[in-house]
Amino acid sequence: MSSDASSVTYSDIQAAAARLDDVVHRTPVMTSSTVNDRVGAEVFFKCENFQKTGAFKLRGGYNAIAQLSPAAKERGVLTYSSGNHAQAIALAGRLHGVDATIVMPENAPQVKLDATRGYGAEIIPYDPETTTREALGQNIAEDRGLTLIPPYDHPHVVAGQGTVGDELFDEVGDLDALLVCCGGGGLLSGCAIAARQHAPNCTVVGVEPDAGDDATRSFQSGTLQTVENPDTVADGARTPYLGDVTFPLVLEHVDDMVTVSDATLVQAMHVLWERMKIVVEPTGALGTAALLQGAVSFPGQRIGVVISGGNVDLGRANTLFEEHGLI
Amino acid sequence: MSSDASSVTYSDIQAAAARLDDVVHRTPVMTSSTVNDRVGAEVFFKCENFQKTGAFKLRGGYNAIAQLSPAAKERGVLTYSSGNHAQAIALAGRLHGVDATIVMPENAPQVKLDATRGYGAEIIPYDPETTTREALGQNIAEDRGLTLIPPYDHPHVVAGQGTVGDELFDEVGDLDALLVCCGGGGLLSGCAIAARQHAPNCTVVGVEPDAGDDATRSFQSGTLQTVENPDTVADGARTPYLGDVTFPLVLEHVDDMVTVSDATLVQAMHVLWERMKIVVEPTGALGTAALLQGAVSFPGQRIGVVISGGNVDLGRANTLFEEHGLI
């Protein structure tokens, strides 16, 4: 741990990497001459869509549960999520032999409810029309003595997500730029800390959807900005604001923030599916979209792009491709 | 080269691997606990859908052109294909600085015509209603002094495809079984030769679609069987018969042949897309389908599966998933 309990340093990421060794997939780094030709640079895609549970979230969840006291492990953990963090905590709990309770909206897709239950977690459904998940989660956690593992705003979660960047630099060496999608900023800040260590001159850029641009405005103004339920296909980037832990880390370690349109995002997904043969969810295509849209440009340079996940309903993806005239 | 010019030995595969070093992607080997749980074995997927041009075919094409005389290279090469071999020869030609001419049906999908032309090949379209591609190809090759590079029935092509199996064993070590899709038998026989070298006790199984079962019947009877324009979604396995080079190699090195239904094939594609996040074309899912269908069973054992390619129109794949009630 770093001296400031709410901060994260590279040694925290190294410690997380040691805990995650043999637990997570060391996901492949892929390249595409089609993409390289199109953007005029050499691009390295770190493919966390191939991670267990289909997204990077297992890293942070596992790293956080690993550091609980034996007594806290005995009591169990809780989180609220309708997305990738739910499955991550469910699987991380099972791997640690720790009971996991997940507060999920009762109208969550059946496939996500099934997957989370399949990892052995207890699901507590709630009606999102009448209940806020935070209040319900807090109440249940206090009643049952469970430890809350938040989806991004926790130093152990950030350190775990930083292992994504650590592995990327380990594999490809120096990079001139690194593009990371940004929801709550856990993956972005963790990867930025790793970049500082491996490649001090690497330009680290966070990417958000146009409609969910709170982190970009927060970064530019230096004051926390929020967004309410933004209308974007990037469901993993609909988070309302950066956290107490992640906002200072983003300010300190990230060089720039940009946003991309939903249309570009779906086009980027299509390129990744059709040309690179990888199934990527909308949020996972944010970095690729920034390159293809020209929101960033690093001609002739070496660029890392983090693909965060691949959990998208295949029919839903097809609808998006159709709506954007791509198939 | 082996002593019999029409045969292929492991040393030919080693020589091909040396030629292909730094030319082809060393494609990743992927695993899935979902698949492992479902089939009760440990499965290693060699992902040639991530190969340049989206399929393994570049290996054989490049290896064949590499061994032409300087004079033959100067004159150029020709092939006929509407599928993955066309793009492979186009790119292999460009990489060698050798002019490539591809005879393609005039009604081939625009995306394939564009991709092939994009690699710098000359396309000669023909009307498949009135012309056979073999006759047209032979005539043009003779007129222009071009060397024909057939899609599978050539020892240098087989040796190149064998590097797929070679890389798989290099990466994962011993295997109890290896499942390889079979069209004309180039990939299957090449991988079987590699398996003999790396894992003499490995059971090598070729997999065909039910409707295109010519190689299975040829294998079982010991006499070459044919099939005419079979009705299967696995377009890469619609080849009418094994070749003069590949049939003896299959008889000598392959342990068994099985077939799978188109319905199973589409289900296997869906598992690969949805759970493993990889875009695989129907033919590429043959080995996976054999496992999921129970056409083969190796409980508790280590099984290699070759994914041959990922070139499928996304809209077409969606239609297949819909037709089979999967989305």
Side-chain angles (χ1 to χ4, degrees), chain B residues 168-201:
Chain B
L168 173 59
F169 284 100
D170 267 351
E171 184 155 340
V172 304
D174 204 4
L175 291 172
D176 301 302
L178 177 65
L179 307 182
V180 187
C181 40
C182 179
L187 180 65
L188 172 58
S189 55
C191 288
I193 294 164
R196 285 289 157 268
Q197 178 73 24
H198 287 272
N201 296 320

mmCIF file of all heavy atoms in Angstrom, chain B residues 168-201:
data_model
loop_
_atom_site.group_PDB
_atom_site.id
_atom_site.type_symbol
_atom_site.label_atom_id
_atom_site.label_comp_id
_atom_site.label_asym_id
_atom_site.label_seq_id
_atom_site.Cartn_x
_atom_site.Cartn_y
_atom_site.Cartn_z
ATOM 1 N N LEU B 168 0.845 -24.450 -32.496
ATOM 2 C CA LEU B 168 -0.036 -24.845 -31.389
ATOM 3 C C LEU B 168 0.704 -25.753 -30.412
ATOM 4 O O LEU B 168 0.691 -25.522 -29.191
ATOM 5 C CB LEU B 168 -1.284 -25.550 -31.938
ATOM 6 C CG LEU B 168 -2.229 -26.165 -30.903
ATOM 7 C CD1 LEU B 168 -2.759 -25.126 -29.927
ATOM 8 C CD2 LEU B 168 -3.396 -26.864 -31.605
ATOM 9 N N PHE B 169 1.368 -26.788 -30.931
ATOM 10 C CA PHE B 169 2.103 -27.690 -30.041
ATOM 11 C C PHE B 169 3.269 -26.978 -29.366
ATOM 12 O O PHE B 169 3.559 -27.221 -28.196
ATOM 13 C CB PHE B 169 2.587 -28.925 -30.808
ATOM 14 C CG PHE B 169 1.505 -29.922 -31.089
ATOM 15 C CD1 PHE B 169 0.905 -29.979 -32.330
ATOM 16 C CD2 PHE B 169 1.069 -30.787 -30.096
ATOM 17 C CE1 PHE B 169 -0.097 -30.896 -32.600
ATOM 18 C CE2 PHE B 169 0.064 -31.715 -30.355
ATOM 19 C CZ PHE B 169 -0.517 -31.769 -31.610
ATOM 20 N N ASP B 170 3.942 -26.112 -30.108
ATOM 21 C CA ASP B 170 5.024 -25.324 -29.502
ATOM 22 C C ASP B 170 4.520 -24.588 -28.268
ATOM 23 O O ASP B 170 5.231 -24.463 -27.264
ATOM 24 C CB ASP B 170 5.542 -24.273 -30.502
ATOM 25 C CG ASP B 170 6.723 -24.773 -31.298
ATOM 26 O OD1 ASP B 170 7.253 -25.855 -30.972
ATOM 27 O OD2 ASP B 170 7.115 -24.084 -32.258
ATOM 28 N N GLU B 171 3.300 -24.070 -28.354
ATOM 29 C CA GLU B 171 2.807 -23.216 -27.283
ATOM 30 C C GLU B 171 2.212 -23.999 -26.118
ATOM 31 O O GLU B 171 2.417 -23.629 -24.962
ATOM 32 C CB GLU B 171 1.768 -22.231 -27.825
ATOM 33 C CG GLU B 171 1.296 -21.261 -26.758
ATOM 34 C CD GLU B 171 0.786 -19.951 -27.326
ATOM 35 O OE1 GLU B 171 1.119 -19.613 -28.478
ATOM 36 O OE2 GLU B 171 0.044 -19.270 -26.596
ATOM 37 N N VAL B 172 1.472 -25.067 -26.407
ATOM 38 C CA VAL B 172 0.744 -25.733 -25.310
ATOM 39 C C VAL B 172 1.332 -27.084 -24.926
ATOM 40 O O VAL B 172 0.896 -27.685 -23.948
ATOM 41 C CB VAL B 172 -0.762 -25.892 -25.630
ATOM 42 C CG1 VAL B 172 -1.381 -24.550 -25.948
ATOM 43 C CG2 VAL B 172 -0.997 -26.884 -26.755
ATOM 44 N N GLY B 173 2.310 -27.573 -25.682
ATOM 45 C CA GLY B 173 2.891 -28.865 -25.350
ATOM 46 C C GLY B 173 2.013 -30.009 -25.808
ATOM 47 O O GLY B 173 1.272 -29.884 -26.782
ATOM 48 N N ASP B 174 2.073 -31.110 -25.094
ATOM 49 C CA ASP B 174 1.397 -32.331 -25.519
ATOM 50 C C ASP B 174 -0.121 -32.156 -25.532
ATOM 51 O O ASP B 174 -0.692 -31.418 -24.735
ATOM 52 C CB ASP B 174 1.773 -33.469 -24.565
ATOM 53 C CG ASP B 174 1.624 -34.834 -25.228
ATOM 54 O OD1 ASP B 174 1.302 -34.892 -26.426
ATOM 55 O OD2 ASP B 174 1.836 -35.843 -24.531
ATOM 56 N N LEU B 175 -0.754 -32.834 -26.479
ATOM 57 C CA LEU B 175 -2.219 -32.856 -26.548
ATOM 58 C C LEU B 175 -2.667 -34.297 -26.734
ATOM 59 O O LEU B 175 -1.982 -35.089 -27.382
ATOM 60 C CB LEU B 175 -2.718 -32.023 -27.736
ATOM 61 C CG LEU B 175 -2.549 -30.503 -27.661
ATOM 62 C CD1 LEU B 175 -2.907 -29.860 -28.995
ATOM 63 C CD2 LEU B 175 -3.417 -29.930 -26.537
ATOM 64 N N ASP B 176 -3.836 -34.621 -26.179
ATOM 65 C CA ASP B 176 -4.399 -35.957 -26.365
ATOM 66 C C ASP B 176 -5.166 -36.080 -27.669
ATOM 67 O O ASP B 176 -5.307 -37.169 -28.223
ATOM 68 C CB ASP B 176 -5.328 -36.295 -25.195
ATOM 69 C CG ASP B 176 -4.600 -36.257 -23.868
ATOM 70 O OD1 ASP B 176 -3.614 -37.004 -23.731
ATOM 71 O OD2 ASP B 176 -4.997 -35.465 -22.991
ATOM 72 N N ALA B 177 -5.704 -34.937 -28.123
ATOM 73 C CA ALA B 177 -6.492 -34.956 -29.365
ATOM 74 C C ALA B 177 -6.355 -33.614 -30.063
ATOM 75 O O ALA B 177 -6.111 -32.584 -29.432
ATOM 76 C CB ALA B 177 -7.958 -35.243 -29.064
ATOM 77 N N LEU B 178 -6.520 -33.641 -31.380
ATOM 78 C CA LEU B 178 -6.474 -32.410 -32.177
ATOM 79 C C LEU B 178 -7.605 -32.475 -33.199
ATOM 80 O O LEU B 178 -7.710 -33.440 -33.959
ATOM 81 C CB LEU B 178 -5.121 -32.294 -32.901
ATOM 82 C CG LEU B 178 -4.973 -31.078 -33.823
ATOM 83 C CD1 LEU B 178 -5.017 -29.772 -33.025
ATOM 84 C CD2 LEU B 178 -3.674 -31.166 -34.623
ATOM 85 N N LEU B 179 -8.457 -31.441 -33.190
ATOM 86 C CA LEU B 179 -9.588 -31.381 -34.113
ATOM 87 C C LEU B 179 -9.327 -30.300 -35.158
ATOM 88 O O LEU B 179 -9.058 -29.147 -34.815
ATOM 89 C CB LEU B 179 -10.873 -31.048 -33.355
ATOM 90 C CG LEU B 179 -11.202 -31.934 -32.153
ATOM 91 C CD1 LEU B 179 -12.536 -31.511 -31.530
ATOM 92 C CD2 LEU B 179 -11.274 -33.392 -32.592
ATOM 93 N N VAL B 180 -9.417 -30.683 -36.419
ATOM 94 C CA VAL B 180 -9.120 -29.752 -37.510
ATOM 95 C C VAL B 180 -10.237 -29.827 -38.545
ATOM 96 O O VAL B 180 -10.637 -30.925 -38.952
ATOM 97 C CB VAL B 180 -7.771 -30.098 -38.190
ATOM 98 C CG1 VAL B 180 -7.394 -29.015 -39.197
ATOM 99 C CG2 VAL B 180 -6.663 -30.278 -37.159
ATOM 100 N N CYS B 181 -10.723 -28.675 -38.971
ATOM 101 C CA CYS B 181 -11.735 -28.645 -40.017
ATOM 102 C C CYS B 181 -11.127 -29.122 -41.333
ATOM 103 O O CYS B 181 -9.934 -28.976 -41.580
ATOM 104 C CB CYS B 181 -12.323 -27.245 -40.161
ATOM 105 S SG CYS B 181 -11.116 -25.927 -40.022
ATOM 106 N N CYS B 182 -11.986 -29.690 -42.176
ATOM 107 C CA CYS B 182 -11.497 -30.270 -43.423
ATOM 108 C C CYS B 182 -12.329 -29.820 -44.614
ATOM 109 O O CYS B 182 -13.536 -30.057 -44.659
ATOM 110 C CB CYS B 182 -11.505 -31.800 -43.325
ATOM 111 S SG CYS B 182 -10.934 -32.595 -44.844
ATOM 112 N N GLY B 183 -11.666 -29.156 -45.570
ATOM 113 C CA GLY B 183 -12.259 -28.861 -46.866
ATOM 114 C C GLY B 183 -11.548 -29.733 -47.887
ATOM 115 O O GLY B 183 -11.911 -30.879 -48.106
ATOM 116 N N GLY B 184 -10.451 -29.222 -48.435
ATOM 117 C CA GLY B 184 -9.635 -30.008 -49.351
ATOM 118 C C GLY B 184 -8.546 -30.796 -48.654
ATOM 119 O O GLY B 184 -7.812 -31.552 -49.286
ATOM 120 N N GLY B 185 -8.413 -30.613 -47.342
ATOM 121 C CA GLY B 185 -7.488 -31.431 -46.572
ATOM 122 C C GLY B 185 -6.091 -30.866 -46.414
ATOM 123 O O GLY B 185 -5.226 -31.530 -45.832
ATOM 124 N N GLY B 186 -5.841 -29.653 -46.871
ATOM 125 C CA GLY B 186 -4.500 -29.076 -46.735
ATOM 126 C C GLY B 186 -4.153 -28.755 -45.293
ATOM 127 O O GLY B 186 -3.092 -29.153 -44.790
ATOM 128 N N LEU B 187 -5.047 -28.050 -44.625
ATOM 129 C CA LEU B 187 -4.827 -27.709 -43.218
ATOM 130 C C LEU B 187 -4.808 -28.976 -42.359
ATOM 131 O O LEU B 187 -3.937 -29.135 -41.493
ATOM 132 C CB LEU B 187 -5.947 -26.769 -42.739
ATOM 133 C CG LEU B 187 -5.889 -26.304 -41.288
ATOM 134 C CD1 LEU B 187 -4.671 -25.427 -41.031
ATOM 135 C CD2 LEU B 187 -7.176 -25.542 -40.930
ATOM 136 N N LEU B 188 -5.752 -29.867 -42.625
ATOM 137 C CA LEU B 188 -5.847 -31.094 -41.826
ATOM 138 C C LEU B 188 -4.587 -31.938 -41.962
ATOM 139 O O LEU B 188 -3.997 -32.356 -40.953
ATOM 140 C CB LEU B 188 -7.078 -31.900 -42.265
ATOM 141 C CG LEU B 188 -7.224 -33.304 -41.676
ATOM 142 C CD1 LEU B 188 -7.275 -33.270 -40.148
ATOM 143 C CD2 LEU B 188 -8.473 -33.996 -42.240
ATOM 144 N N SER B 189 -4.140 -32.193 -43.185
ATOM 145 C CA SER B 189 -2.981 -33.078 -43.328
ATOM 146 C C SER B 189 -1.716 -32.407 -42.806
ATOM 147 O O SER B 189 -0.885 -33.055 -42.158
ATOM 148 C CB SER B 189 -2.822 -33.539 -44.782
ATOM 149 O OG SER B 189 -2.750 -32.449 -45.665
ATOM 150 N N GLY B 190 -1.576 -31.101 -43.042
ATOM 151 C CA GLY B 190 -0.400 -30.401 -42.516
ATOM 152 C C GLY B 190 -0.346 -30.451 -41.001
ATOM 153 O O GLY B 190 0.707 -30.737 -40.409
ATOM 154 N N CYS B 191 -1.483 -30.198 -40.356
ATOM 155 C CA CYS B 191 -1.513 -30.227 -38.888
ATOM 156 C C CYS B 191 -1.303 -31.642 -38.358
ATOM 157 O O CYS B 191 -0.707 -31.831 -37.292
ATOM 158 C CB CYS B 191 -2.830 -29.649 -38.374
ATOM 159 S SG CYS B 191 -2.964 -27.859 -38.569
ATOM 160 N N ALA B 192 -1.786 -32.632 -39.092
ATOM 161 C CA ALA B 192 -1.613 -34.021 -38.652
ATOM 162 C C ALA B 192 -0.136 -34.414 -38.677
ATOM 163 O O ALA B 192 0.353 -35.110 -37.785
ATOM 164 C CB ALA B 192 -2.444 -34.952 -39.538
ATOM 165 N N ILE B 193 0.581 -33.955 -39.694
ATOM 166 C CA ILE B 193 2.022 -34.247 -39.762
ATOM 167 C C ILE B 193 2.748 -33.582 -38.585
ATOM 168 O O ILE B 193 3.624 -34.177 -37.957
ATOM 169 C CB ILE B 193 2.589 -33.766 -41.118
ATOM 170 C CG1 ILE B 193 1.995 -34.595 -42.261
ATOM 171 C CG2 ILE B 193 4.114 -33.848 -41.125
ATOM 172 C CD1 ILE B 193 2.176 -33.973 -43.642
ATOM 173 N N ALA B 194 2.356 -32.350 -38.286
ATOM 174 C CA ALA B 194 2.965 -31.669 -37.131
ATOM 175 C C ALA B 194 2.647 -32.406 -35.836
ATOM 176 O O ALA B 194 3.503 -32.538 -34.946
ATOM 177 C CB ALA B 194 2.466 -30.225 -37.056
ATOM 178 N N ALA B 195 1.421 -32.897 -35.711
ATOM 179 C CA ALA B 195 1.017 -33.616 -34.491
ATOM 180 C C ALA B 195 1.849 -34.879 -34.304
ATOM 181 O O ALA B 195 2.296 -35.195 -33.196
ATOM 182 C CB ALA B 195 -0.473 -33.968 -34.557
ATOM 183 N N ARG B 196 2.082 -35.609 -35.396
ATOM 184 C CA ARG B 196 2.878 -36.849 -35.318
ATOM 185 C C ARG B 196 4.250 -36.575 -34.700
ATOM 186 O O ARG B 196 4.792 -37.365 -33.943
ATOM 187 C CB ARG B 196 3.069 -37.449 -36.705
ATOM 188 C CG ARG B 196 1.872 -38.129 -37.289
ATOM 189 C CD ARG B 196 1.577 -39.449 -36.572
ATOM 190 N NE ARG B 196 0.168 -39.779 -36.767
ATOM 191 C CZ ARG B 196 -0.788 -39.420 -35.914
ATOM 192 N NH1 ARG B 196 -0.512 -38.742 -34.813
ATOM 193 N NH2 ARG B 196 -2.037 -39.763 -36.132
ATOM 194 N N GLN B 197 4.809 -35.419 -35.071
ATOM 195 C CA GLN B 197 6.141 -35.076 -34.591
ATOM 196 C C GLN B 197 6.115 -34.681 -33.115
ATOM 197 O O GLN B 197 6.937 -35.132 -32.324
ATOM 198 C CB GLN B 197 6.683 -33.910 -35.424
ATOM 199 C CG GLN B 197 8.051 -33.415 -35.007
ATOM 200 C CD GLN B 197 9.141 -34.397 -35.393
ATOM 201 O OE1 GLN B 197 8.968 -35.204 -36.317
ATOM 202 N NE2 GLN B 197 10.261 -34.348 -34.682
ATOM 203 N N HIS B 198 5.159 -33.842 -32.750
ATOM 204 C CA HIS B 198 5.143 -33.272 -31.405
ATOM 205 C C HIS B 198 4.516 -34.211 -30.387
ATOM 206 O O HIS B 198 4.877 -34.175 -29.206
ATOM 207 C CB HIS B 198 4.358 -31.955 -31.399
ATOM 208 C CG HIS B 198 5.063 -30.807 -32.040
ATOM 209 N ND1 HIS B 198 5.923 -29.991 -31.345
ATOM 210 C CD2 HIS B 198 5.040 -30.330 -33.314
ATOM 211 C CE1 HIS B 198 6.388 -29.051 -32.160
ATOM 212 N NE2 HIS B 198 5.876 -29.241 -33.356
ATOM 213 N N ALA B 199 3.524 -34.968 -30.806
ATOM 214 C CA ALA B 199 2.736 -35.765 -29.863
ATOM 215 C C ALA B 199 2.275 -37.037 -30.565
ATOM 216 O O ALA B 199 1.141 -37.130 -31.039
ATOM 217 C CB ALA B 199 1.525 -34.953 -29.383
ATOM 218 N N PRO B 200 3.167 -38.014 -30.626
ATOM 219 C CA PRO B 200 2.883 -39.214 -31.439
ATOM 220 C C PRO B 200 1.584 -39.923 -31.050
ATOM 221 O O PRO B 200 0.976 -40.583 -31.885
ATOM 222 C CB PRO B 200 4.099 -40.111 -31.181
ATOM 223 C CG PRO B 200 5.181 -39.165 -30.754
ATOM 224 C CD PRO B 200 4.509 -38.042 -30.038
ATOM 225 N N ASN B 201 1.145 -39.755 -29.792
ATOM 226 C CA ASN B 201 -0.072 -40.443 -29.362
ATOM 227 C C ASN B 201 -1.328 -39.588 -29.485
ATOM 228 O O ASN B 201 -2.416 -40.015 -29.092
ATOM 229 C CB ASN B 201 0.077 -40.918 -27.920
ATOM 230 C CG ASN B 201 1.181 -41.957 -27.793
ATOM 231 O OD1 ASN B 201 1.320 -42.830 -28.656
ATOM 232 N ND2 ASN B 201 1.985 -41.847 -26.740
#
